[in-house]
Amino acid sequence: MTRPIRIAVTGPCGSIGYSILFRIAAGDLFGREQPIELRLLARDSPESQAKLKGTMMELSDCAFPLLAEMKGFTDEKQLFDGAECVFLIGAQPRKDGMDRSDLLRANGEIFRRQGRALNEMASRDVRVLVVGNPCNTNAYIAMRNAPDLKRECFSAMMRLDQNRAMARVAEKINAPVSGVEQVFVWGNHSNTMYPDIRFLRYKGHRLADQFDPQWQEEFIKNVATRGGQIIKARGASSAASAASAAIDHMRDWILGSEGMCTMAVPSDGSYGIPEGLVFGFPCLCPGEARYQIINNLPMTPDVRQRLAVTRDELLAEANAVADLLA
Ligand code: NDP
């Protein structure tokens, strides 16, 4: 029988965690032939422990054939022991009166600790996806605190932004989203992101020239503010769509992507983005848990300017947490 893949998840009882676990265990991540082990982190409080217990009871009651083993932990080192695939979802939510920099520091501590624990305990080939916000900088902090792991082990999630952009394009052209290709998002998972449709194709045919500049500006704003629109509409933040995007990201990374996909990964210096900064790039994943940044796309002064804005925001975030970097 195929050896189970060991998957660790933080924040398993939050909204995204509760949605992703059942899909992973059903086989949506690695397919219906690949058994898995789930290792789940709960905080050391009676409420968190109770929620984890209930979630594990439900997972057990699904009788998923692929779920070979499931364990709960409060200790991050034990959680990551031998982990091959890691979803870092748990993060402190923004509270009233907190600005982005307060959130950055509160979560920075969590990701520093988790980076160190991964460095010590995880498989040397671990693949880590940071979802908890601010996800690019949290991934940067974790990576910098894991010097014995290759930096290519770390990524942050901007696939939801790509999926949102693809869905808006499909609505605009009144066609199924399955034919939308070569849409991706640059930069930080924040309002400064740049969703790029210059290379857009529909079923292999170029489309990008058909959109007027005013629509394109609205589209960029719409994608960047979609999270806020969801909160307003449903009274809670994106959860199932975020879980779905996390599965898309990890599956493409490990098993291979069909075409371009957006991953926030440590920069290799492409497009003048400082090395190591975790930045949303168009990538290709050839399989075997590898990715390549597509580094030869043409730039215009306008695009360069948009990339500079989101790069500078990430540099400012990195600066604000400089003392948390190893
Ligand atoms: P929830 O508030 O529903 O759940 C948060 C989870 O994080 C809970 O499991 C909670 O644990 C855990 N947690 C809270 N505080 C801490 C802490 N101090 N230390 C460790 N764990 C903690 O949030 P969601 O599931 O909706 O979202 C999770 C994260 O994902 C958020 O940061 C959100 O902003 C981000 N996100 C990212 C997206 C992206 O595209 N990158 C898209 C959407 C969301 P407990 O159960 O013990 O309370």
Side-chain angles (χ1 to χ4, degrees), residues 12 27 87-88 229 265:
F87 292 90
L88 298 182
Q229 296 169 37
V265 291

Side-chain angles (χ1 to χ4, degrees), residues 213-324:
Q214 193 191 339
W215 182 84
Q216 292 198 40
E217 280 309 315
E218 280 165 19
F219 160 82
I220 290 167
K221 198 165 153 217
N222 197 351
V223 172
T225 58
R226 181 73 169 181
Q229 296 169 37
I230 302 271
I231 293 176
K232 211 167 162 195
R234 85 174 198 111
S237 66
S238 315
S241 55
S244 195
I247 287 180
D248 289 345
H249 175 122
M250 192 64 95
R251 184 198 56 230
D252 280 2
W253 188 6
I254 294 182
L255 301 180
S257 63
E258 278 179 16
M260 276 187 188
C261 59
T262 307
M263 294 173 72
V265 291
S267 174
D268 59 359
S270 295
Y271 305 103
I273 306 304
E275 284 207 23
L277 210 61
V278 176
F279 194 90
F281 285 110
C283 292
L284 284 175
C285 299
E288 297 176 351
R290 287 179 299 129
Y291 68 82
Q292 293 153 1
I293 295 172
I294 300 173
N295 60 9
N296 58 356
L297 295 176
M299 291 284 125
T300 62
D302 172 61
V303 174
R304 270 201 200 92
Q305 174 56 24
R306 291 182 195 270
L307 263 57
V309 169
T310 194
R311 174 204 65 201
D312 289 350
E313 183 182 51
L314 278 170
L315 283 171
E317 289 184 11
N319 218 9
V321 296
D323 57 316
L324 300 178

Side-chain angles (χ1 to χ4, degrees), residues 9 11 19 38 52 61 69 127 175 178 203 213 224 230 233 237 244 284 287 292:
V9 182
S19 181
L38 280 179
L52 182 61
D61 290 351
E69 193 182 296
R127 294 296 180 262
S178 57
K203 292 188 173 171
I230 302 271
S237 66
S244 195
L284 284 175
Q292 293 153 1

